[in-house]
């Protein structure tokens, strides 16, 4: 870990090797395509490849050929790997290993399925003090992102996330947090109640909470909200994390694995509740990573909202304040990028900025020649 990166946006999280059986099932597959992926990493990967921002990830990998394969995939994604912490490998993964994630895309009435193999990974063994976050943030990044997946990896990663977020704030870096609850990470470790405690502890450091509806209800996953209940739910979350300046969330209805109704919403004190673009009947190839794609677009929109006068208006309302127009624009970037992420396989975005902005401006799926 060199500590010199020059990144504008940094994420903290696990990067796993994803095994994709294509149109088949995990339990009957004879071959898999591999990708890299991980909730927090996917955000900076999208910011790099689609939006052209310099990004880096703080993570840890076991130093063996599997770890180096993950690194190679990350390098193809353009994400700076100088902040990777390499753990010695013992040959069989007894002391440190790399995470594996098997994912079925789903089809029709059969939903997507993820089977992760990630216990005792190198990154889950990170402890407070292992990473010099003062050095990480001394290079002047503008944004730091982490989430509940990293925090849920082990009892020690919670403290690492807390340390990183507090240090970022001390350096004047904007901080975002995504609760992104994974029940499997908390099974036998306090369950959803413990996950909620951790989310509220960490979200107090956040300027922006992505996936903010994950903090609604008594515990993660407990709130099944109708569209008309979302404004009050976000206002309730604002009361739980009063330091957050922006709360944002995707809104998804799932008539089938292959067709989703897709939208977004946000809240801030200056603007109140705002609804993002609505994309009903969106055809889905692979929904995994779409929330991370939304987060990447939202962050890009918020980071560039004061300077980019030439981007699509995304349904600009002349009655909106400057803050409202900026947030609605960020929602449009996030919604469009998340939608396009669902049209390609793998966790990571394959969209281009021109495709995102064409969709924001009302573009269609007509052939481009």
């Amino acid at each position: 870990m060199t500590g010199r990166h020059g990144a504008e946006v940094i994420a903290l999280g696990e990067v796993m090797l994803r095994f994709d059986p294509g149109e088949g099932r995990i339990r009957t597959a004879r071959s898999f395509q591999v990708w890299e992926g991980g909730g927090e990493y996917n955000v900076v990967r999208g910011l790099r490849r689609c939006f052209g921002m310099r990004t880096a990830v703080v993570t840890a990998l076991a130093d063996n050929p599997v770890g180096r394969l993950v690194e190679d995939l990350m390098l193809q994604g353009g994400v700076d790997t100088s902040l990777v912490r390499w753990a010695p490998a013992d040959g069989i993964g007894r002391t440190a290993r790399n995470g594996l994630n098997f994912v079925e895309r789903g089809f029709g009435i059969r939903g997507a399925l993820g089977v992760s193999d990630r216990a005792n990974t190198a990154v889950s063994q990170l402890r407070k003090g292992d990473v010099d976050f003062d050095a990480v943030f001394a290079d002047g990044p503008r944004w730091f992102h982490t989430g509940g997946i990293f925090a849920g990896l082990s009892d020690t990663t919670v403290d690492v996330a807390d340390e990183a977020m507090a240090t970022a704030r001390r350096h004047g870096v904007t901080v975002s947090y995504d609760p992104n609850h994974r029940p499997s990470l908390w099974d036998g470790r306090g369950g959803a109640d413990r996950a909620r405690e951790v989310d509220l502890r960490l979200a107090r450091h956040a300027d922006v909470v992505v996936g903010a509806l994950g903090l609604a209800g008594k515990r993660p996953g407990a709130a099944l909200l109708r569209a008309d209940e979302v404004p009050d739910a976000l206002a309730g979350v604002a009361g739980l994390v009063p330091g957050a300046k922006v709360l944002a969330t995707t809104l998804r209805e799932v008539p089938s694995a292959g067709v989703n109704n897709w939208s977004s919403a946000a809240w801030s004190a200056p603007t109140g509740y705002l609804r993002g673009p609505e994309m009903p009947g969106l055809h889905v190839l692979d929904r995994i990573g779409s929330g991370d794609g939304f987060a990447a677009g939202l962050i890009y929109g918020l980071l560039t909202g004061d300077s980019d006068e030439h981007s699509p208006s995304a349904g600009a309302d002349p009655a909106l304040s400057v803050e409202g127009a900026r947030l609605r624009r960020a929602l449009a970037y996030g919604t469009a990028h998340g939608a396009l992420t669902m049209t390609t396989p793998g966790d990571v975005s394959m969209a281009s900025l021109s495709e995102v902005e064409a969709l924001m401006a009302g573009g269609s799926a007509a052939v481009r020649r």
Side-chain angles (χ1 to χ4, degrees):
M1 183 179 289
T2 67
R4 305 299 298 178
H5 52 78
E8 300 169 87
V9 184
I10 298 173
L12 168 67
E14 181 168 41
V15 187
M16 295 189 292
L17 188 64
R18 170 176 166 173
F19 288 79
D20 185 345
E23 296 178 353
R25 304 295 304 272
I26 295 168
R27 63 187 183 188
T28 57
R30 297 298 179 267
S31 62
F32 294 89
Q33 186 165 11
V34 295
W35 318 85
E36 87 282 24
E40 297 85 5
Y41 164 81
N42 294 340
V43 176
V44 289
R45 209 272 194 186
L47 281 164
R48 176 65 187 91
R49 292 295 285 169
C50 178
F51 297 104
M53 305 193 82
R54 299 186 310 276
T55 65
V57 62
V58 177
T59 192
L61 294 167
D63 194 356
N64 61 21
V66 176
R68 293 297 174 178
L69 171 57
V70 175
E71 179 194 36
D72 190 65
L73 292 165
M74 292 163 61
L75 289 169
Q76 292 179 52
V79 176
D80 189 292
T81 60
S82 64
L83 301 178
V84 174
R85 182 183 178 92
W86 289 98
D90 61 12
I92 62 172
R94 181 181 290 114
T95 58
R97 55 189 295 269
N98 299 299
L100 309 178
N101 191 26
F102 298 80
V103 180
E104 294 177 7
R105 301 177 198 169
F107 185 82
I109 58 172
R110 174 172 59 84
L113 172 67
V115 181
S116 59
D117 180 15
R118 67 195 309 178
N120 303 313
T121 55
V123 71
S124 73
Q125 298 178 48
L126 285 180
R127 295 177 176 274
K128 184 177 180 179
D130 283 349
V131 178
D132 185 349
F133 284 110
D134 278 312
V136 168
F137 296 119
D139 261 7
R142 302 170 64 190
W143 197 289
F144 174 69
H145 177 75
T146 192
I149 296 178
F150 173 77
L153 292 177
S154 71
D155 293 335
T156 63
T157 53
V158 178
D159 294 331
V160 176
D162 191 285
E163 177 190 25
M165 296 172 79
T167 306
R169 291 294 296 270
R170 192 166 65 248
H171 281 262
V173 178
T174 301
V175 175
S176 58
Y177 181 79
D178 186 343
N180 221 354
H181 181 59
R182 295 290 185 271
S184 58
L185 293 177
W186 296 98
D187 188 21
R189 299 177 51 236
D193 290 331
R194 174 62 180 149
R196 172 52 50 83
E197 291 176 15
V198 166
D199 282 335
L200 292 177
R201 171 186 168 186
L202 297 178
R204 67 188 171 90
H205 294 301
D207 299 289
V208 177
V209 179
V210 187
L213 287 183
L215 297 179
K218 295 181 178 180
R219 60 181 63 183
L224 300 176
L225 301 172
R226 301 189 310 270
D228 61 343
E229 297 174 316
V230 173
D232 287 343
L234 286 179
V237 172
L240 296 175
V241 285
K245 299 179 179 65
V246 173
L247 306 177
T249 186
T250 61
L251 300 174
R252 185 197 306 266
E253 297 175 351
V254 188
S256 80
V259 179
N260 289 187
N261 298 326
W262 175 252
S263 186
S264 62
W267 175 95
S268 73
T271 66
Y273 177 78
L274 291 175
R275 183 70 181 261
E278 297 187 36
M279 299 184 182
L282 182 69
H283 286 262
V284 175
L285 177 64
D286 185 344
R287 65 170 281 177
I288 306 300
S290 54
D292 306 323
F294 168 77
L298 180 85
I299 291 169
Y300 174 77
L302 292 174
L303 280 172
T304 61
D306 295 331
S307 59
D308 185 356
E309 300 176 354
H310 304 292
S311 63
S313 61
D317 183 346
L320 278 178
S321 65
V322 172
E323 293 89 350
R326 177 172 176 257
L327 184 52
R328 179 160 288 177
R329 173 182 177 276
L331 278 176
Y333 271 109
T335 307
H337 187 235
L340 288 167
T341 300
M342 286 187 272
T343 67
T344 53
D347 284 30
V348 296
S349 165
M350 299 182 188
S352 69
L353 179 56
S354 62
E355 289 172 334
V356 170
E357 293 187 336
L359 184 57
M360 291 168 61
S364 73
V367 175
R368 296 189 302 274
R369 300 182 191 274

